[in-house]
Amino acid sequence: MTLEEMIKDSGLEPKTINKVIKDFQKAGEKYNGIQCAVAMTLLLRLLVQNDSQRQMVNDIANEYDIGTEDD
């Protein structure tokens, strides 16, 4: 399966991913960036325990062009 097929099969849309990221950025206003990054890393380890799945997540994430500015 190609990366494009994985993205399509996962049902991920950049608009949804951007919304989730913006919500995490709002949390960053309350907590510092390191705290948020550690929490997200721990969450990833809980949600995706298989190394090959983690690599797939990294590959998919690398395909996204996520803006950090308010739309």
Side-chain angles (χ1 to χ4, degrees):
M1 181 179 284
T2 68
L3 187 59
E4 288 178 6
E5 291 170 329
M6 286 187 285
I7 292 171
K8 184 178 178 181
D9 287 349
S10 65
L12 298 174
E13 297 182 16
K15 185 175 182 177
T16 302
I17 298 300
N18 278 326
K19 170 100 175 79
V20 173
I21 287 173
K22 286 180 183 181
D23 289 345
F24 273 115
Q25 287 174 324
K26 289 177 186 173
E29 294 171 5
K30 183 173 182 179
Y31 306 100
N32 70 43
I34 296 296
Q35 290 169 322
C36 291
V38 168
M40 286 187 280
T41 301
L42 291 170
L43 183 58
L44 176 62
R45 289 179 185 171
L46 289 170
L47 295 174
V48 185
Q49 296 181 6
N50 181 298
D51 286 338
S52 64
Q53 290 175 328
R54 283 189 196 160
Q55 184 58 50
M56 182 184 71
V57 169
N58 285 332
D59 292 344
I60 292 171
N62 287 338
E63 289 296 310
Y64 280 90
D65 181 19
I66 302 299
T68 56
E69 299 175 14
D70 290 333
D71 290 333

